């Protein structure tokens, strides 16, 4: 019976894994084919590594290596904003759990409400604010809004309110640690999983954010990768007939687009791998005095 | 014995610490202070501005609910709301059932293989927006898709048929699930990991099978996380923008650029310069999400500190 | 603090803290170094210029920069705002709100962009009279200038023309023994013949987002006709219905599939070695972009024939699919520089060989030299240029560009239903309704007949 259950579990997991992974396999194999082969040969056919090199050449040549700038910008915005998020959201999540101070419920409520506010409406006021601060055109015009990550605050809040036993913290306080020290020496190290989670989600959310940079940045040189990919998409004749006439000069076809997409995914995959270890670690047990 | 352990588990608080909390309250605020400037600048102020826009006209004069009634009468308003309600239902359903289910399945037997599966589930999450749409434009095209046999099963021989109007809510829900599920599975799995091993041990010793452990022990303990996920999913569901916008771009207009309410708000703002109407639609969306959030928060006690 | 001694937390804390500080430091450096090349004050001096182009027009901008090393030209590539996108509307709205940031010159892929750019609430486009000399402006075809004019004022110049001609696979036509049709009627007859004698071969397609520009515009169907301050959208006019009646049997018998030429299925079914495209009414830029690069049809097959005539009606009119406009911003601090750039891009820039301009130049003198190069292009079975040249002046002037894009209405209302099996005749009324709603939302007063 247990074998059947285990087998069933495996089959279900494998079926979903196929659903998630097969399109990605397609994506990995796509740059190895030429544009023609992409539509005429089978989806899992392997072309040649030479095609990949060609695709990279075309991609790099596009608009004077703007692709590299896009990746660099993404790294700058995502890492910069995430650094600020870690320093603001984790303590805030802790503070909101630890005690009931005046305004606590208000902050929690407002954070939740803002989290569900549509991006389209926020863009204009944020744009006006950034302009008032004279930041339009500056990297901070992206990093600062990104550094506001209410989702991270909630992650930390829920983590601290469910995972860290009250008794552990009280034990620390009985030992004589002040609030700040309690936080640094107990709450923070024990929160490794949530730090990893918040880092991960903040980085990925910044990396994948399309709307804000698209609206706020005037120069495509400063775009992070998502609006960049959309610009690339509109330079691909098969997706934008209006560029049809200039396809030859622009040199971006489906394999180049696939390669661009693939390369854009790698930093996020790396971040995920790095965060994996910390995410899996469980709680420290046995530090509670009875 | 399970109940005894449960009593001292995270969540069950002894009365002893309550007395010490008085002084700590201000310290709690201190920890929150670095976050506040961001909350105000990029959260509260823009929201207040949006509220202001929703009740004024383009010269700043007060118009009450005029923007709301005007936008409701727009010929695209009701179809857009219909679309997102249908979409949100499918999206929420898939999240609550499939994501929680998969996380439980994974957690039931944590080993190397589990990590591999978890990683595989997450991979699409790394592709967002333009990236995932690009991939799905091919997955939905029977001529080149690896899943073409599935498409033919659904009587779809052309890409145009894949994105036929009746199918769109399902297609978008599927794409959103494909990109979003992995991340939520990671969160749920992390949540499941906060459950002390002793509880599980105790349950197993008591004779509970894996299904009972999953449904009776683990599920209730992660309910705050499920509540959080549901609130966000409801909000992001009703505010669907990126997928239909990009499919609109890639299909050259076959899927309209006002398919979802959020898209309509965007068009009103930027194509017609009607920021007031756009703000009104956004307020409509938030109100819906807020009602859902309040219901969920009340039902699961998400805001209580002593739990 | 007994717990402290056991934990390695201090050590563990240092590394992420250090990392955070480093990154914060980098951020500070980035912030202090300013916004790179996107300084919005860039165009305030009279020697500076900011130009927005799509990827296809980037070589033009680069060439201009090379020829004018003394000028500071900031070239920004963007998505081109094609196919009904809202990119430029978004940008202009935001620039207008803050009162700064407008570029001096913008190229758009969307032929109707200048129309809304000239009007409220955008008020972005500058009238060209006075900026570009009249004798230069007069060398654009009259229909091209008309497309760029709103209320009698010219707000743009087109980079290229996109007149619709009849592309023909000469090799196949000879092989099957068919004559190149001169009228729509002859063309439709061939469609019937092909369906029985050579099934699988096509005489055109109607699944693209601009199908109405090919089949309805050229046949004078009034779907977008300004009449004073009103807009006429009459999809049940005889000019429209007779075209639908002609096309319906062809769609049904498969010789005119409702597929887009840019989809993988199309290339797979009809392109490459299969070479099943017998004829195809399409714009001038189909030349190599579609037949060679998209469909991979081998060289030596394709050429262009003059646009089809309706029966014996004259004058022969045809449609237009695009024709990217260049727009100068009225907020520009360097109008002379901007005009100079636009003049260069449309009247001077004309490289040869594989870097040749991709589209038929709208400026007539440039068109002549471009046509010479095309006549010598070995890809074509015969010289396509006479057909292209004659069609340039035949674009029907009764179809006016308006502030809203009509391609999405055609795609959404007609193409999706054609695929589902409905007839074009049955779809004309809903098309009219859909266009009317879009027009009204955009502020037009609509006449339905």
């Amino acid at each position: 019976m247990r074998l059947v259950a285990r087998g069933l579990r495996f089959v279900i997991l494998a079926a979903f894994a196929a659903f998630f992974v097969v399109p990605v396999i397609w994506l990995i194999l796509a740059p190895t084919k030429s544009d023609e082969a992409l539509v005429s040969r089978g989806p899992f056919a392997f072309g040649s590594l030479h095609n990949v090199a060609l695709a990279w050449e075309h991609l790099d040549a596009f608009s004077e290596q703007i692709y590299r700038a896009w990746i660099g910008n993404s790294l700058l915005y995502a890492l910069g904003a995430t650094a600020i998020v870690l320093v603001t959201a984790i303590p805030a999540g802790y503070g909101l759990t630890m005690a009931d101070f005046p305004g606590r419920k208000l902050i929690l409520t407002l954070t939740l409400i803002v989290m569900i506010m549509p991006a389209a409406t926020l863009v204009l006021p944020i744009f006006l604010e950034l302009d008032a601060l004279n930041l339009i055109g500056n990297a901070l015009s992206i990093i600062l809004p990104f550094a506001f990550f209410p989702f991270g605050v909630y992650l930390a809040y829920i983590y601290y309110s469910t995972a860290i036993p009250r008794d552990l913290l009280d034990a620390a306080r009985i030992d004589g640690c002040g609030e700040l020290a309690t936080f640094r020496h107990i709450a923070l190290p024990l929160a490794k999983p949530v730090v990893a989670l918040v880092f991960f989600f903040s980085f990925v959310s910044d990396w994948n954010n399309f709307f804000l940079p698209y609206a706020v940045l005037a120069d495509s040189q400063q775009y992070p990768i998502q609006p960049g990919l959309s610009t690339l998409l509109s330079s691909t004749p098969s997706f934008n007939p209006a560029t049809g006439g200039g396809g030859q000069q622009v040199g971006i076809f489906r394999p180049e687009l696939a390669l661009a997409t693939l390369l854009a995914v790698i930093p996020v995959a790396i971040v995920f791998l790095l965060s994996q270890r910390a995410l899996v670690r469980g709680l420290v047990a046995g530090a509670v005095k009875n | 014995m399970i109940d005894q352990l449960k009593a001292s588990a995270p969540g069950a608080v002894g009365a002893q610490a309550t007395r010490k909390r008085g002084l700590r309250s201000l310290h709690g605020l201190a920890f929150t202070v670095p976050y506040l400037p961001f909350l105000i600048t990029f959260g509260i102020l823009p929201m207040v501005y949006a509220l202001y826009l929703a009740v004024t006209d383009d010269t700043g004069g007060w118009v009450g609910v005029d923007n709301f009634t005007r936008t409701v009468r727009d010929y695209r308003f009701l179809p857009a709301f219909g679309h997102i309600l249908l979409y949100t239902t499918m999206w929420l359903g898939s999240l609550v059932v499939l994501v929680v289910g998969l996380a439980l399945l994974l957690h039931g037997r944590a080993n190397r293989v589990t990590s591999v599966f978890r990683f595989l589930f997450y991979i699409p999450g790394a592709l967002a927006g333009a990236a995932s749409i690009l991939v799905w434009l091919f997955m939905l095209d029977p001529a080149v898709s690896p899943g073409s046999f599935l498409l033919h099963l659904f009587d779809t021989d052309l890409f145009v048929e894949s994105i036929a109007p009746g199918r769109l809510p399902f297609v978008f829900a599927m794409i959103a699930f494909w990109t979003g599920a992995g991340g939520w599975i990671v969160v749920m799995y992390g949540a499941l990991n906060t459950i002390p091993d002793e509880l599980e041990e105790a349950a197993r010793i008591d004779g509970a099978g894996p299904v009972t452990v999953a449904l009776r022990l683990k599920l209730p303990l992660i309910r705050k996380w499920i509540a959080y996920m549901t609130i966000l999913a409801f909000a992001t569901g009703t505010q669907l923008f990126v997928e239909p916008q990009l499919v609109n771009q890639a299909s050259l207009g076959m899927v309209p650029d006002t398919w979802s309410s959020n898209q309509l708000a965007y068009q009103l703002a930027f194509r017609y310069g009607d920021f007031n109407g756009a703000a009104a639609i956004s307020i409509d969306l938030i109100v819906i999400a807020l009602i859902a959030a309040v219901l969920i928060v009340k039902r699961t006690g998400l805001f209580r500190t002593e739990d | 603090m007994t717990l402290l001694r056991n934990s390695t937390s201090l050590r563990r804390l240092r590394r992420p803290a250090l990392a955070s500080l480093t990154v914060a430091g980098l951020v500070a450096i980035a912030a202090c170094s300013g916004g790179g090349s996107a300084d919005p004050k860039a165009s305030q001096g009279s020697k500076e210029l900011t130009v927005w182009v799509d990827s296809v027009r980037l070589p033009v901008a680069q060439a201009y920069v090379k020829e004018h090393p003394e000028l500071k030209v900031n070239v920004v590539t963007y998505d081109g705002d094609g196919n009904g996108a809202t990119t430029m509307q978004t940008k202009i709205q935001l620039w207008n709100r803050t009162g700064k940031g407008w570029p001096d010159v913008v190229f758009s892929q969307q032929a109707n962009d200048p129309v809304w750019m000239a009007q409220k609430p955008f008020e972005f486009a500058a009238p060209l009279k006075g900026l570009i000399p009249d004798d230069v402006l007069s060398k654009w075809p009259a229909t091209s200038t008309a497309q760029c004019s709103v209320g009698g004022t010219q707000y743009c110049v087109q980079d290229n023309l996109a007149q619709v001609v009849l592309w023909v696979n000469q090799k196949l036509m000879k092989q099957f023994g068919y004559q190149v049709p001169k009228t729509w009627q002859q063309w439709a007859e061939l469609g019937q013949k092909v369906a029985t004698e050579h099934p699988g071969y096509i005489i055109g397609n109607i699944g693209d987002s601009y199908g109405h520009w090919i089949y309805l515009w050229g046949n004078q169907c009034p779907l977008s006709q300004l009449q004073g301050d009103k807009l006429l959208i009459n999809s049940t006019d005889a000019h429209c219905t007779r075209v639908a009646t002609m096309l319906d049997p062809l769609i049904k018998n498969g010789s005119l599939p409702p597929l887009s030429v840019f989809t993988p299925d199309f290339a797979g079914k009809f392109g490459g070695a299969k070479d099943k495209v017998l004829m195809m009414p399409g714009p001038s830029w189909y030349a190599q972009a579609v037949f060679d690069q998209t469909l991979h049809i081998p060289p030596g097959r394709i050429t262009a024939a003059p646009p089809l005539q309706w029966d014996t009606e004259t004058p022969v009119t045809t449609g237009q699919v695009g024709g990217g406009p260049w727009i100068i911003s009225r907020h520009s601090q360097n109008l002379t520089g901007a005009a100079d750039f636009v003049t260069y891009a449309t009247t001077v820039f004309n490289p040869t060989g594989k870097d040749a301009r991709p589209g038929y130049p709208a400026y007539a003198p440039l068109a002549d030299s471009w046509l010479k190069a095309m006549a010598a292009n070995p890809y074509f079975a015969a010289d396509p240029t006479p057909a292209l040249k004659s069609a340039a002046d035949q674009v029907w002037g009764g179809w006016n560009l308006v502030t809203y894009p009509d391609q999405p209405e055609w795609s959404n209302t007609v193409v999706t239903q054609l695929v589902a099996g409905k007839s074009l005749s049955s779809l004309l009324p809903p098309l009219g309704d859909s266009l009317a709603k879009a027009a009204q939302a955009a502020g037009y007063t609509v006449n339905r007949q």
Side-chain angles (χ1 to χ4, degrees), chain A residues 63-64 79-80 131 137-138 140 175 177 188-189 192 214-215 217-220 222 234-235 240-241 243-245 248-249, chain C residues 1-2 4 9 12-13 23 27 31 35 37-38 52 55 62 77 79 83 87 91 94 98 100 109 262 289 293 356 358:
Chain A
S63 197
E64 295 164 330
L79 288 175
D131 184 62
N138 191 306
L140 282 179
D175 257 4
C177 298
L188 199 52
K192 253 265 165 74
Y214 171 75
L217 290 170
D219 191 346
S220 56
Q222 290 185 305
S234 59
S235 305
N240 183 4
T243 49
Q248 214 56 292
Q249 282 97 328
Chain C
M1 302 246 210
T2 45
L4 184 54
S9 49
R12 279 206 206 120
L13 201 51
V23 181
V27 168
S37 54
W52 278 47
S55 49
Q62 288 168 329
T77 35
D79 63 17
N83 309 304
T87 313
K91 296 287 179 202
L94 292 177
T98 53
K100 54 183 187 286
Q109 296 170 348
F262 294 98
Q293 288 157 23

Side-chain angles (χ1 to χ4, degrees), chain A residues 22 47 51 54 78 200 233 283:
Chain A
V22 162
N51 278 326
L54 274 179
F200 171 66
L233 183 75
L283 264 183

Side-chain angles (χ1 to χ4, degrees), chain A residues 196-212:
Chain A
L197 260 183
V198 172
F199 176 88
F200 171 66
F201 277 103
S202 169
F203 182 89
V204 171
S205 144
D206 295 338
W207 188 270
N208 289 340
N209 189 310
F210 172 85
F211 200 74
L212 184 76

